[in-house]
Amino acid sequence: DVKVTQSSRYLVKRTGEKVFLECVQDMDHENMFWYRQDPGLGLRLIYFSYDVKMKEKGDIPEGYSVSREKKERFSLILESASTNQTSMYLCASRPSGTPTYEQYFGPGTRLTVT
Amino acid sequence: RKEVEQDPGPFNVPEGATVAFNCTYSNSASQSFFWYRQDCRKEPKLLMSVYSSGNEDGRFTAQLNRASQYISLLIRDSKLSDSATYLCVVNLAGNTPLVFGKGTRLSVIA
């Protein structure tokens, strides 16, 4: 059974803090993704990674960075948190290759920046 | 032009009703298509893939029309537990990120 876990379900941080969101998957998937989801805006891709030490910008990378030092772990970093980064953050993983492969999501981290 | 468009709803239907959602996509080179389901405050999960010939899974039927670039999902005999947001998802090619629609909200009422 594929599992994607995220380090926290709820997080409250202050403006200007550095925030780390961790994601771990246990199925040896090559591809990993970070999204944020906001009411009315749907899922928006922040960054993704095809392999260890590789990263690609998604649609809204500004204010974020990522790290993938190990295949199973993909971290999202908010260098200096701002109130407009209050959101639900979802990590996902998917095998590479056939385009019909399912993508699996973690349970999400609801981040509030005050 | 948005890549994947869906009617946001909400669709409010009584139990036992049949309801259909449509979704259009802009890139004619898209290769694979899916419907994901997202319950309130939960993560999205795959409901079903959509194949060119159409496919059925119990009360759910998915259709793909490549010529018109739209995908549909039909739910028959709606249950209260079908209440969720349904996300239309398109994949351009194997390793490219999935493109998600914003979702259509369904409420099934007793």
Side-chain angles (χ1 to χ4, degrees), chain A residues 3-4 7 13-14 18 21 24 27 30 32 36 38 47 49 52-53 55 63 65 68 70 72 85 92-93 95 105 114:
Chain A
K3 214 167 194 154
V4 180
S7 49
K13 295 291 181 180
R14 294 201 181 275
K18 191 168 186 174
L21 302 182
V24 178
M27 282 303 289
E30 293 80 9
M32 296 189 75
R36 64 177 283 177
D38 302 285
Y47 267 97
S49 169
V52 176
K53 298 200 185 290
K55 60 185 178 185
S65 62
R68 192 158 180 209
K70 293 185 177 182
E72 68 270 20
Q85 292 178 309
S93 74
F105 285 85
T114 61

Side-chain angles (χ1 to χ4, degrees), chain A residues 23-90:
Chain A
C23 173
V24 178
Q25 51 97 2
D26 66 359
M27 282 303 289
D28 204 37
H29 288 171
E30 293 80 9
N31 300 320
M32 296 189 75
F33 308 86
W34 274 106
Y35 300 86
R36 64 177 283 177
Q37 188 173 35
D38 302 285
L41 298 178
L43 279 165
R44 292 184 291 168
L45 182 64
I46 304 171
Y47 267 97
F48 58 103
S49 169
Y50 291 133
D51 204 343
V52 176
K53 298 200 185 290
M54 293 182 68
K55 60 185 178 185
E56 299 280 346
K57 292 180 180 178
D59 300 317
I60 51 162
E62 297 78 19
Y64 303 95
S65 62
V66 289
S67 171
R68 192 158 180 209
E69 296 297 317
K70 293 185 177 182
K71 191 175 186 180
E72 68 270 20
R73 189 179 296 270
F74 192 35
S75 304
L76 180 70
I77 303 148
L78 287 66
E79 295 290 341
S80 177
S82 63
T83 54
N84 63 13
Q85 292 178 309
T86 291
S87 186
M88 170 67 88
Y89 289 87
L90 288 155

Side-chain angles (χ1 to χ4, degrees), chain A residues 31 37 50 94 96 99 103 106, chain B residues 32 36 38 43 91 94-96:
Chain A
N31 300 320
Q37 188 173 35
Y50 291 133
R94 183 160 61 102
S96 65
Q103 179 160 301
Chain B
S32 51
Y36 276 67
Q38 185 172 23
E43 72 273 23
N91 188 208
N95 263 358
T96 58

Side-chain angles (χ1 to χ4, degrees), chain B residues 66-95:
Chain B
R66 283 191 185 270
S68 302
Q69 293 178 212
Y70 81 77
I71 306 149
S72 65
L73 177 68
L74 183 80
I75 306 174
R76 289 182 299 278
D77 188 23
S78 299
K79 312 287 185 197
L80 294 175
S81 57
D82 293 334
S83 297
T85 296
Y86 291 84
L87 304 171
C88 177
V89 184
V90 172
N91 188 208
L92 182 59
N95 263 358

